[in-house]
Amino acid sequence: MSKDTLKDNVETVDKEAEISIIGNPNVGKTSLFNLLTGTKQYVANWPGVTVEKKIGSFKYKGKTFKLVDLPGVYTLSAKSEDERVAKDYLISNTSEIVIVVADALNLESSMFLLFQLIEIGVKTILVINSVDEAREKGRIIDPSPISKTLNIPVILTSAKTGEGKEELLEEAYKLSKEKNLTKKKIMYPEEIENFINFFQDKVSKFPKISSKYQNYIDSSWLPIYFLEFGSEDLELPQDFLTELKENFDIEDLKNKYLNWKFNFISYLVSSSIIKEGIDWSLRDILDHVFTHKILGILIYVFALFAVFSLTFSLAQPLSDLLDSAFTFLGNSISEFVTIPWLESLLVDGVIAGVGGVLVFIPQIFILFFFLGFLEESGYLPRAAFLVDRIARNFGLSGRSFMSIILGFGCNVPAIISTKTIANKKERLALILSLPFASCSARLPVYILLISAFFSTHAATIMLLVYLSSIALVLISSKFLQRFITQSEDIPFIIELPRFRMPTLKNLSIYTWNRGKHFLQKAGGIILIATVLIWLLSFFPNFGTDINSSFAASIGRVFEPLTNHLGWDWRINTGLIFGVAAKEIVVSSYATIFNVGEGSLTYALQNALTPASALALIFFVMAYIPCFATLATIKAETNGWKWAIFSFIYTTVVAYLIANLVFFVGGIFL
């Protein structure tokens, strides 16, 4: 072997190979991604858009593979932002290999996406996932008919048990070593072949098209894509389109192609299914119960109540332990630091402020763990299905409800998720209403106030807040669609995932990916805000009288509007700083009241009445979105107009709700 040949082989082994993973929603794509990459993954955005992407890596036989998780789509039609991102990425030739994930119990729906990828000409592996669940229902699948007909590897896997993982890794490794791609050729009916040949012959005479799609002039992808989805996003010249229409009845040809494709896929899938299996199982019985129009709603409310009850009961001992640790740390620093202002900064500022937020880490992570269980098990999509009828009365669909649920974690990805909503008018109303969805950043404020004033009914109050949050999003959307936008009724189509028992690994990844942002904020924006609040509280009297500090002056500006609610300048100042991030409300109170988390409870009990505290909870639930959310609204609506509107709109609504809660709550409390 020559040195050059040896060098080429070494480079082939060492060079990182890029694999993309794609599939319909709810086929177990994310679970398979987690199985392959473990914790070696991170989340970013696609260049130029705010659609989220997940990237991971793994090694096999000394070769490093980069795995890119593409959005869950049914086709590459580019009608939605997710589809456009997936299509643009796949035709860019960035990815060496594409793994298409299909559902063993719904194989046919994934074949349409598979066909498009074969037409593009990428190295493709079909993964038929959840074969363990298929076997439970008696369904037996033989992958050889699909593999032989389409000339692609087909692997049977279970992301839950790890079955098929080694075969998939081996197949990906083999394909990564192939330098020259042998493009797969699908044999179409004669009329379709004639159209493809005519299209390819003519397109080569148009330099603008041939330069843009130079890698696809000789493949069937471009003519078939045009035939199936039209020319809207292909930017084909008008004279080229005219020539096509003069020689072919495009609409008739499209219908013939779609009929042929549907029949071919049906035959291919039926040839691969040796045994259909039973039509029902325990999972199907559960589906009927959980999606019942009355019983299902009651179960959903009970599920949320159970989640909140467990969050409070399991987390409180851990929070008390953390509070004791921060108190001990503060006392220790006081003994060693003799400079008064530095001691005040470290103890009253950093320790009290950041520690006052970090003591809620157990509640945050436990809540996300249980919400992750509901999502990973397949229950939350059923909640969206349940409320579709209710949501339609407010001009929304069940798809919008999925964004609201996502908003329980963070409003930013919730707003970004509206890209999947085809109706632009519904989407705008939802974007402007989603800041009312009660994100996790507000959770420390809720826990602090509920623990201080309503500890015996903590789960009930928390449930009331979250249900009120959902109701507020719905009512706001109806209001905005009536007075600002108009909405068109569109059907809601959702493919419900089957019930699955989530794995501890997937739940751990889910919980960490959502909870870590809380920790990142504590080390960044919360720390900075805490120091700033301490400076405003310490000066100009050097900590001798906080009532005449800059912080007090800021809060007193709003006292004429809040005195009747029982909020003094201390409460107001915390709310003002909470605009940056809602967790800062807690750290602000810890700094301003100059106490730790345990003592802060008693300080607030002396500063507020139960009615005032309840009004404050609902004000925090609704008022001004954080800076990140406002920036996302600006990005999604292409300007500051709606971001400024959201700033004013949410503040006014929050103030009205706080007054309503205060006066109505005062009757019962």
Side-chain angles (χ1 to χ4, degrees):
M1 181 182 292
S2 67
K3 290 183 178 180
D4 291 338
T5 305
L6 180 62
K7 181 181 177 182
D8 289 340
N9 287 339
V10 171
E11 287 179 349
T12 301
V13 173
D14 291 342
K15 183 183 177 184
E16 182 182 69
E18 184 164 320
I19 301 176
S20 57
I21 183 168
I22 193 170
N24 297 167
N26 303 317
V27 294
K29 180 170 63 72
T30 299
S31 296
L32 187 65
F33 179 88
N34 292 339
L35 176 68
L36 294 175
T37 63
T39 57
K40 296 178 181 178
Q41 53 184 257
Y42 64 93
V43 175
N45 287 332
W46 293 98
V49 294
T50 50
V51 174
E52 197 175 78
K53 67 174 175 180
K54 192 185 294 183
I55 299 174
S57 64
F58 62 90
K59 285 188 176 182
Y60 184 73
K61 290 188 175 180
K63 190 176 183 70
T64 299
F65 293 87
K66 175 184 176 183
L67 189 60
V68 180
D69 188 12
L70 293 170
V73 294
Y74 291 99
T75 70
L76 301 177
S77 67
K79 299 301 181 185
S80 71
E81 189 73 18
D82 285 351
E83 290 173 346
R84 185 179 69 79
V85 163
K87 188 205 79 172
D88 290 347
Y89 174 79
L90 289 168
I91 67 173
S92 69
N93 284 319
T94 302
S95 187
E96 294 182 33
I97 303 166
V98 179
I99 297 174
V100 182
V101 184
D103 184 353
L105 287 171
N106 192 12
L107 185 55
E108 195 165 313
S109 67
S110 297
M111 297 298 288
F112 293 90
L113 181 61
L114 175 66
F115 260 60
Q116 288 181 302
L117 291 166
I118 293 174
E119 288 161 347
I120 288 175
V122 295
K123 295 179 183 178
T124 306
I125 301 174
L126 175 63
V127 169
I128 302 177
N129 193 36
S130 304
V131 292
D132 56 326
E133 295 178 26
R135 282 194 290 267
E136 285 178 18
K137 297 189 72 170
R139 170 170 286 196
I140 306 298
I141 296 175
D142 176 13
S144 58
I146 299 176
S147 180
K148 291 177 181 177
T149 303
L150 300 179
N151 194 24
I152 61 170
V154 181
I155 312 295
L156 302 181
T157 68
S158 167
K160 181 180 178 182
T161 65
E163 178 183 347
K165 177 183 176 182
E166 286 300 317
E167 291 90 335
L168 176 57
L169 292 173
E170 182 63 30
E171 205 59 58
Y173 178 75
K174 288 179 182 177
L175 285 180
S176 69
K177 293 176 68 177
E178 292 182 8
K179 291 187 176 180
N180 298 317
L181 172 63
T182 303
K183 292 191 175 182
K184 311 298 185 293
K185 174 66 176 175
I186 297 176
M187 300 304 297
Y188 300 100
E190 184 178 356
E191 289 177 279
I192 307 300
E193 288 285 358
N194 291 337
F195 173 77
I196 292 173
N197 293 332
F198 182 88
F199 190 103
Q200 291 172 338
D201 179 58
K202 292 296 179 182
V203 81
S204 62
K205 300 175 183 178
F206 288 83
K208 287 185 178 180
I209 307 176
S210 56
S211 61
K212 183 176 181 180
Y213 299 105
Q214 57 182 333
N215 296 321
Y216 305 100
I217 298 302
D218 297 328
S219 76
S220 62
W221 172 76
L222 193 57
I224 290 297
Y225 185 91
F226 167 79
L227 200 61
E228 191 167 3
F229 302 112
S231 61
E232 184 178 345
D233 63 301
L234 293 178
E235 300 178 0
L236 301 177
Q238 188 58 48
D239 48 348
F240 176 72
L241 295 174
T242 301
E243 195 163 351
L244 287 178
K245 291 175 182 177
E246 287 176 352
N247 288 273
F248 296 94
D249 184 341
I250 302 298
E251 194 62 33
D252 179 63
L253 208 58
K254 175 181 178 179
N255 291 332
K256 289 180 179 178
Y257 167 74
L258 292 176
N259 286 332
W260 169 84
K261 188 176 184 179
F262 177 80
N263 291 329
F264 183 77
I265 287 175
S266 296
Y267 171 77
L268 195 59
V269 170
S270 62
S271 301
S272 302
I273 299 175
I274 299 174
K275 186 178 179 182
E276 282 286 354
I278 58 176
D279 293 330
W280 59 270
S281 65
L282 177 60
R283 289 186 175 95
D284 299 315
I285 296 172
L286 287 174
D287 246 348
H288 285 294
V289 174
F290 286 123
T291 57
H292 189 274
K293 62 182 180 180
I294 297 175
L295 187 59
I297 293 289
L298 295 176
I299 292 173
Y300 177 59
V301 173
F302 174 78
L304 287 180
F305 180 81
V307 166
F308 296 138
S309 296
L310 289 170
T311 298
F312 275 98
S313 59
L314 295 178
Q316 193 57 50
L318 297 173
S319 290
D320 292 340
L321 190 63
L322 278 174
D323 183 47
S324 299
F326 283 115
T327 301
F328 174 78
L329 179 62
N331 293 334
S332 300
I333 290 176
S334 296
E335 292 178 5
F336 289 101
V337 178
T338 57
I339 304 173
W341 69 266
L342 183 58
E343 179 197 352
S344 178
L345 171 61
L346 295 175
V347 178
D348 303 331
V350 177
I351 302 293
V354 177
V357 175
L358 290 182
V359 294
F360 297 109
I361 286 175
Q363 284 92 339
I364 297 289
F365 277 83
I366 289 173
L367 177 63
F368 277 133
F369 180 85
F370 287 119
L371 288 179
F373 183 89
L374 295 180
E375 184 173 327
E376 291 282 314
S377 66
Y379 180 71
L380 287 186
R382 285 160 176 79
F385 174 79
L386 277 172
V387 302
D388 179 55
R389 184 180 302 176
I390 299 172
R392 286 197 173 280
N393 294 325
F394 296 92
L396 298 175
S397 67
R399 184 180 289 105
S400 301
F401 188 73
M402 290 300 293
S403 295
I404 298 174
I405 293 175
L406 191 58
F408 286 172
C410 178
N411 291 160
V412 171
I415 291 172
I416 292 172
S417 73
T418 62
K419 289 179 182 294
T420 60
I421 298 174
N423 187 334
K424 293 181 179 179
K425 296 171 182 177
E426 176 189 348
R427 181 174 180 245
L428 176 59
L430 186 60
I431 285 174
L432 298 176
S433 302
L434 277 174
F436 294 128
S438 197
C439 67
S440 61
R442 298 172 169 105
L443 189 60
V445 188
Y446 298 158
I447 295 170
L448 175 65
L449 294 171
I450 290 173
S451 299
F453 294 92
F454 312 105
S455 58
T456 55
H457 304 288
T460 303
I461 296 295
M462 188 72 87
L463 178 63
L464 177 63
V465 170
Y466 273 80
L467 292 180
S468 299
S469 173
I470 295 172
L472 187 55
V473 175
L474 296 176
I475 294 169
S476 172
S477 297
K478 182 69 172 180
F479 172 81
L480 293 176
Q481 289 184 61
R482 182 170 183 178
F483 294 101
I484 298 176
T485 65
Q486 297 177 355
S487 181
E488 304 165 6
D489 190 39
I490 57 172
F492 172 49
I493 301 172
I494 182 171
E495 187 174 324
L496 296 179
R498 291 182 305 284
F499 278 111
R500 295 183 174 96
M501 180 57 68
T503 63
L504 183 60
K505 179 180 179 180
N506 282 350
L507 282 178
S508 300
I509 293 173
Y510 178 99
T511 304
W512 172 248
N513 284 340
R514 283 153 180 80
K516 68 181 180 182
H517 298 296
F518 184 76
L519 297 175
Q520 290 167 348
K521 278 186 179 181
I525 188 171
I526 294 175
L527 176 60
I528 294 170
T530 296
V531 173
L532 179 59
I533 294 163
W534 176 84
L535 287 170
L536 293 172
S537 303
F538 192 77
F539 293 101
N541 298 315
F542 299 96
T544 57
D545 184 11
I546 195 172
N547 289 294
S548 58
S549 64
F550 291 135
S553 299
I554 294 171
R556 286 199 178 97
V557 172
F558 299 94
E559 280 190 340
L561 295 173
T562 63
N563 274 333
H564 67 284
L565 295 173
W567 305 348
D568 61 15
W569 69 264
R570 296 172 296 181
I571 302 300
N572 296 342
T573 301
L575 292 173
I576 292 167
F577 280 98
V579 173
K582 295 299 178 286
E583 301 97 330
I584 295 175
V585 173
V586 174
S587 61
S588 298
Y589 290 160
T591 302
I592 292 169
F593 284 95
N594 193 20
V595 290
E597 190 268 338
S599 302
L600 182 56
T601 297
Y602 298 109
L604 287 171
Q605 288 172 345
N606 292 325
L608 298 168
T609 65
S612 298
L614 191 62
L616 183 58
I617 290 171
F618 278 85
F619 184 84
V620 170
M621 179 194 77
Y623 91 113
I624 307 173
C626 67
F627 289 162
T629 302
L630 289 172
T632 305
I633 293 174
K634 182 258 182 186
E636 295 298 321
T637 58
N638 300 315
W640 284 106
K641 171 186 173 183
W642 292 113
I644 294 170
F645 171 83
S646 179
F647 184 98
I648 299 170
Y649 173 61
T650 54
T651 304
V652 172
V653 170
Y655 185 70
L656 294 175
I657 290 175
N659 278 273
L660 178 65
V661 170
F662 177 77
F663 290 112
V664 174
I667 299 173
F668 300 99
L669 297 175

